[in-house]
Amino acid sequence: MLNARIKLRHLQAFLEVARQRSFARAAERLAITQPGISKTIRELEESLGASLFERTPQGVALTQAGLTLLRHAGPAMRALEEGVAAVGDVHLGAHDLRVGALSTVESRLLPEAIRRWHAAPGGQNAVGVNVVVGASAFLLSRLRRGELDLVVGRMTEAREIRDLAFEHLYYEPLLLCVRPGHPLAGIAPLEAARLGEFPWVLPPLQTTLRQQVDSFCVRHSLTLMSQRLETLSLPISRHYTLESDAIWVVPEEAVAEDLAAGRLCRLGIELEPRGGSVGLCYNASMQPSLALEAFCEVLREVSAERGAGSN
C-alpha cells in the first residue's frame, strides 16, 4: 500500500527535479519557490527513508534510490494523467503515439512505417504519430519517465538502456562517405592513416554512434583533425560533405539513395565489421496500447521487407 504521507505533489516535484536536474528550474516550472520544492523533496525522502538526489558540479543527479523511484513514478504519473484525460475524452484516452527516433531510422524505416500506418484503412491507425529526434541518452531518459511510448534506432550500446526492453530488428552499419571526386574516392583498399588528412563529420560526443568511431580510431591509431563538424543533423551533414573534402560517418540507411544515384561515394575501408543492432526499445513497466502494438508490427514488417531482418 502507498505510504499515506506521500502525496501527488511530492511525486510531481520529484519528477520535475529529475527532469530539470535543478531545484531552481524545477521550482520555476512548477510555479513554486525554491525553498518550497526543497522542502517537498525533503518530505518525500523522509517518507521513503532514502536520499533521492545528490549535488554535482552540473546540478543535481539521481541516487540509486532516485533512479529506482523514477523507473516507477514516471510511468505511473503518465498513466494517471492519461486516465484523468480519458474521463472527458470521447475517444476514451486515445492519444498520439510518442516515438523517439535516432538518426539510424530517420531516412527510411520510420517514415515508411508511418506512411503505411496512416494509409491502412480505419482502426487504430487513425491515431497520430508524434516523433521526437535526438541522442539516445535523451530519448531513453524520456522513455523511462513515460514521456515516450517507444524509441526506434540503434542503441544497444547505450548505457541508459539498462532496465528498458529492446527488440532487435536488423543490423545497420556505419559508413564513411565522401563527395564524388574526393581525393580518397575510388581507392581500395584504403589505408586508415589517409583518413587523418581530411576533416570529418561526426556524431557528437556521448552518443552510441560516436563510441564506434572512437573505437575505430583506437584500433587504427588514427588521430583526427581538429577541424570537424559534430552533429546529428542529416541535412547539415550531407550539405557540408557535398561541398567540402569532409569524411562523413553516417548510417547506411541515411545515404542509400545518394549512394545509388552517385551523389555520394563510400570509402574503401570498413568502419565496423558488422554494424549495430537497430530495434525497438520500450518501457516494460508500462502497459502498451493496442495502437502501439499495431505500430510496432508495422515497423517489423517494413524491417523484414528491407531484407535486413536476419541476425
Side-chain angles (χ1 to χ4, degrees):
M1 180 180 294
L2 184 65
N3 187 328
R5 295 174 58 192
I6 298 177
K7 309 299 182 183
L8 184 62
R9 62 183 177 84
H10 291 121
L11 298 179
Q12 289 173 323
F14 166 74
L15 290 174
E16 196 60 42
V17 174
R19 185 180 297 114
Q20 300 296 330
R21 295 292 192 268
S22 164
F23 278 83
R25 289 195 297 270
E28 183 178 350
R29 291 292 298 273
L30 294 175
I32 59 178
T33 64
Q34 186 170 342
I37 200 167
S38 297
K39 180 176 181 292
T40 301
I41 295 298
R42 189 164 57 251
E43 291 173 353
L44 179 59
E45 291 176 327
E46 290 173 354
S47 297
L48 295 173
S51 296
L52 300 175
F53 298 99
E54 58 185 2
R55 300 284 181 179
T56 72
Q58 290 74 37
V60 294
L62 288 163
T63 63
Q64 188 57 52
L67 287 169
T68 299
L69 180 60
L70 179 63
R71 200 159 55 234
H72 299 281
M77 286 293 291
R78 168 54 63 182
L80 179 60
E81 291 170 358
E82 291 177 357
V84 171
V87 172
D89 192 341
V90 296
H91 295 295
L92 200 58
H95 62 77
D96 288 354
L97 292 178
R98 302 158 302 170
V99 179
L102 296 169
S103 59
T104 40
V105 299
E106 280 187 66
S107 301
R108 301 173 70 186
L109 174 64
L110 193 55
E112 175 60 16
I114 296 172
R115 185 194 68 77
R116 294 191 191 188
W117 171 256
H118 285 152
Q124 291 289 339
N125 62 325
V127 175
V129 181
N130 185 333
V131 177
V132 179
V133 298
S136 58
F138 167 70
L139 297 177
L140 293 175
S141 66
R142 294 196 62 181
L143 179 64
R144 180 172 286 103
R145 294 196 299 264
E147 297 172 358
L148 292 174
D149 300 308
L150 180 73
V151 176
V152 187
R154 168 178 168 156
M155 67 199 94
T156 50
E157 303 94 342
R159 293 186 297 272
E160 295 79 9
I161 205 167
R162 294 194 299 273
D163 54 333
L164 298 171
F166 181 81
E167 176 186 335
H168 169 81
L169 293 177
Y170 57 88
Y171 289 102
E172 180 79 19
L174 286 176
L175 307 182
L176 296 177
C177 293
V178 296
R179 62 170 177 80
H182 188 282
L184 299 183
I187 300 177
L190 177 63
E191 294 182 5
R194 297 289 312 276
L195 301 174
E197 301 172 9
F198 301 91
W200 281 46
V201 181
L202 297 162
L205 292 170
Q206 310 303 322
T207 61
T208 56
L209 298 184
R210 181 61 172 269
Q211 293 172 23
Q212 303 309 303
V213 178
D214 293 342
S215 296
F216 173 84
C217 292
V218 170
R219 289 197 307 271
H220 294 280
S221 301
L222 179 64
T223 300
L224 303 184
M225 294 176 60
S226 57
Q227 180 184 344
R228 64 187 68 171
L229 169 63
E230 297 186 1
T231 181
L232 288 174
S233 169
L234 296 177
I236 292 175
S237 299
R238 181 179 182 274
H239 185 83
Y240 183 79
T241 302
L242 290 174
E243 299 298 326
S244 71
D245 281 341
I247 298 171
W248 183 12
V249 180
V250 59
E252 185 177 49
E253 172 177 306
V255 290
E257 294 182 3
D258 282 328
L259 291 175
R263 291 186 290 267
L264 285 170
C265 301
R266 179 177 179 175
L267 291 183
I269 186 170
E270 297 292 338
L271 182 68
E272 52 188 358
R274 187 179 193 183
S277 177
V278 174
L280 314 176
C281 194
Y282 54 92
N283 191 333
S285 67
M286 297 180 63
Q287 181 66 35
S289 65
L290 293 176
L292 178 60
E293 291 180 343
F295 183 67
C296 287
E297 189 57 36
V298 174
L299 285 165
R300 296 183 189 104
E301 291 174 0
V302 175
S303 298
E305 291 174 11
R306 292 180 65 228
S310 60
N311 291 327

